[in-house]
Amino acid sequence: MRYDKSQSHVQLERNASQVPSVLAFNQTSPDANRFGESFRILFRWRGSIYKFIWKHVLVYYFLFYLLSILHGLLDIERKKTFEALAKYCLKNTNSINLMLMLTFFTTTAMQRLFSIQIMIPGTAKVITFFIMSLKPNMPEGPIIVEQFARWTVLAWILTFRVVCKPLRKMFPDMISLQVAGIIREKERCILERVETEGNKTPRALIVIDWMLLLLKETAIHNRFTEKSNHLKVLDIVMAFKKNCGNIIKFATKNIPYALIQAAIIVVYVYGLVTLMARNFEEAGNSGFLEGIVNYFPVIPSLQFFIFLIWLNFGRTAVNPFGTDDDDIDVKLLFDTHVQDSFRLASLYAQDLEHVFGAMPQKQYNDACSLQNATPVGK
């Protein structure tokens, strides 16, 4: 399988910080038993609340002090109207029940996210089981293995192109997949013709049908080590197909936009209310320090930003395949699956001696092979 990195804009040789095992190590939570380790999280910028809310903080305080300046410029009558509105907002600040709305929204989004994470299909199991089920040293073996592995990766890509915008930008059409060496010209023409004929079957599932036909051909020509291997590989391919179908359903059956809009409106309305919520009477009768505290809305703004962060957490869970820091890196998964397909496909023509040289058990292996090769009557 050819994979043209320059044409597809994908770098297979990423630096060490992008290796999945290194990423998992770097993203592991600090040891809570070590003094001060947990506080390191507070100073992290990537994926942090500071990166998300700093623009909102600037806008919020700009509007707050703009309203304060506006209050100072008003005449007496209009000041009374302004203060009455501010007193009304202060009185009703706690009447907006955000907890119930955000709890329902985030719970729904997180349950959906966890179910999707469990359903994410992998390619390694499908490819490995197929390779290990074939008879060794067949002349046509490497060709069949390459075809099956490439179709598995192609089905995975076509599945995630539906739900992942970054992957869709990487491969905007079938031509880009052909240029990358992931799909052949004849295969591309078949998929494009199927779509023009009005067939509503997702392209990924059509590719999986090709895999099923390849399994059928392999079984007919007796290329499996055992006849039962055909059904075992078939079960794994069907499980892979089911997971791909579930990921596609993820895009077509999203959380209702009305629920997302309701959560956004309620949070930002609360923020607008806290902008006006202030007690001018206490500020006028208190000392200088109390007046400064009254005009610096720490508690109201803190509550608003907590709700805002909570809202963003739910919105991130709604679309986990985007470009946010906390989203699933589908492009990295794609690179991993491509490299795995190359590595696993090469296993068909290899054995332990190719890796380690002569093994201690070689003499026993040779004796066993000789015994198996000896006719029964000799």
Side-chain angles (χ1 to χ4, degrees):
M1 175 167 50
R2 181 178 62 85
Y3 181 59
D4 194 339
K5 296 172 289 184
S6 61
Q7 295 293 333
S8 62
H9 305 288
V10 181
Q11 296 180 353
L12 289 178
E13 295 86 4
R14 293 200 175 193
N15 54 42
S17 63
Q18 294 299 315
V19 176
S21 58
V22 177
L23 285 173
F25 177 80
N26 292 335
Q27 294 178 2
T28 302
S29 299
D31 188 359
N33 294 325
R34 294 181 60 183
F35 179 78
E37 281 293 317
S38 297
F39 291 99
R40 293 173 55 187
I41 300 178
L42 298 177
F43 299 99
R44 177 172 175 166
W45 177 256
R46 180 178 173 81
S48 66
I49 60 174
Y50 318 116
K51 185 176 181 180
F52 170 69
I53 69 170
W54 72 270
K55 294 180 181 178
H56 294 81
V57 171
L58 293 179
V59 173
Y60 183 90
Y61 280 100
F62 172 78
L63 293 177
F64 182 86
Y65 291 114
L66 183 64
L67 290 174
S68 300
I69 295 173
L70 177 62
H71 171 261
L73 298 177
L74 295 176
D75 55 32
I76 297 177
E77 292 299 326
R78 292 180 179 176
K79 275 187 179 181
K80 290 182 179 180
T81 304
F82 188 94
E83 292 171 4
L85 178 60
K87 188 175 181 180
Y88 175 80
C89 292
L90 179 63
K91 181 180 179 181
N92 292 276
T93 300
N94 297 325
S95 64
I96 302 177
N97 193 350
L98 290 180
M99 301 294 291
L100 182 61
M101 170 68 73
L102 291 177
T103 299
F104 177 74
F105 172 63
T106 54
T107 301
T108 303
M110 291 305 301
Q111 287 178 346
R112 182 168 172 270
L113 172 61
F114 291 149
S115 62
I116 289 300
Q117 289 177 336
I118 295 174
M119 295 175 187
I120 290 180
T123 60
K125 182 178 180 180
V126 183
I127 298 173
T128 303
F129 209 98
F130 177 76
I131 293 172
M132 296 305 169
S133 299
L134 294 176
K135 291 181 178 179
N137 303 321
M138 293 188 300
E140 70 277 20
I143 300 175
I144 298 173
V145 167
E146 185 274 338
Q147 197 172 46
F148 187 86
R150 184 169 53 80
W151 282 350
T152 305
V153 174
L154 175 60
W156 189 93
I157 295 172
L158 294 178
T159 297
F160 278 91
R161 280 182 73 251
V162 179
V163 298
C164 179
K165 188 175 181 180
L167 194 62
R168 199 157 53 244
K169 291 177 64 177
M170 184 187 303
F171 298 112
D173 49 34
M174 293 292 105
I175 293 293
S176 60
L177 288 171
Q178 181 181 344
V179 172
I182 299 173
I183 189 173
R184 303 289 168 78
E185 182 178 2
K186 188 174 183 180
E187 299 166 354
R188 175 184 62 82
C189 294
I190 292 174
L191 291 178
E192 291 177 343
R193 184 172 66 249
V194 167
E195 188 172 270
T196 56
E197 291 175 352
N199 192 337
K200 301 299 182 180
T201 304
R203 290 174 173 176
L205 302 187
I206 293 177
V207 175
I208 296 177
D209 290 343
W210 299 348
M211 297 168 60
L212 296 175
L213 292 176
L214 182 58
L215 288 180
K216 179 181 178 181
E217 178 189 275
T218 306
I220 291 174
H221 294 279
N222 196 26
R223 293 184 176 122
F224 287 114
T225 55
E226 298 180 6
K227 291 184 178 180
S228 60
N229 287 346
H230 174 226
L231 296 179
K232 293 178 181 178
V233 179
L234 181 61
D235 288 340
I236 294 177
V237 173
M238 292 306 296
F240 175 72
K241 181 178 182 179
K242 180 180 179 181
N243 288 336
C244 290
N246 289 332
I247 292 296
I248 295 173
K249 291 178 183 177
F250 173 84
T252 57
K253 296 182 180 179
N254 209 326
I255 293 180
Y257 283 109
L259 177 59
I260 302 175
Q261 292 171 348
I264 294 174
I265 291 173
V266 170
V267 170
Y268 281 97
V269 166
Y270 178 83
L272 293 175
V273 171
T274 58
L275 283 174
M276 285 294 298
R278 59 191 84 190
N279 195 334
F280 290 98
E281 294 181 0
E282 292 186 4
N285 299 328
S286 60
F288 176 75
L289 183 59
E290 289 78 2
I292 294 179
V293 172
N294 188 73
Y295 280 97
F296 193 75
V298 177
I299 300 302
S301 63
L302 183 61
Q303 292 175 335
F304 167 63
F305 293 132
I306 289 175
F307 291 140
L308 192 63
I309 294 166
W310 198 351
L311 172 65
N312 182 69
F313 182 70
R315 293 180 64 184
T316 301
V318 169
N319 181 25
F321 303 113
T323 57
D324 296 333
D325 293 338
D326 295 324
D327 287 334
I328 299 173
D329 193 346
V330 178
K331 295 172 67 175
L332 179 60
L333 288 178
F334 163 71
D335 289 348
T336 303
H337 286 304
V338 170
Q339 294 178 51
D340 281 349
S341 67
F342 282 115
R343 177 177 53 81
L344 294 173
S346 66
L347 294 180
Y348 178 78
Q350 292 184 7
D351 51 38
L352 283 177
E353 291 189 2
H354 288 91
V355 181
F356 297 102
M359 299 293 291
Q361 66 269 26
K362 186 179 187 308
Q363 54 180 331
Y364 302 101
N365 295 340
D366 294 340
C368 183
S369 300
L370 182 62
Q371 182 179 0
N372 294 333
T374 304
V376 178
K378 296 296 182 179

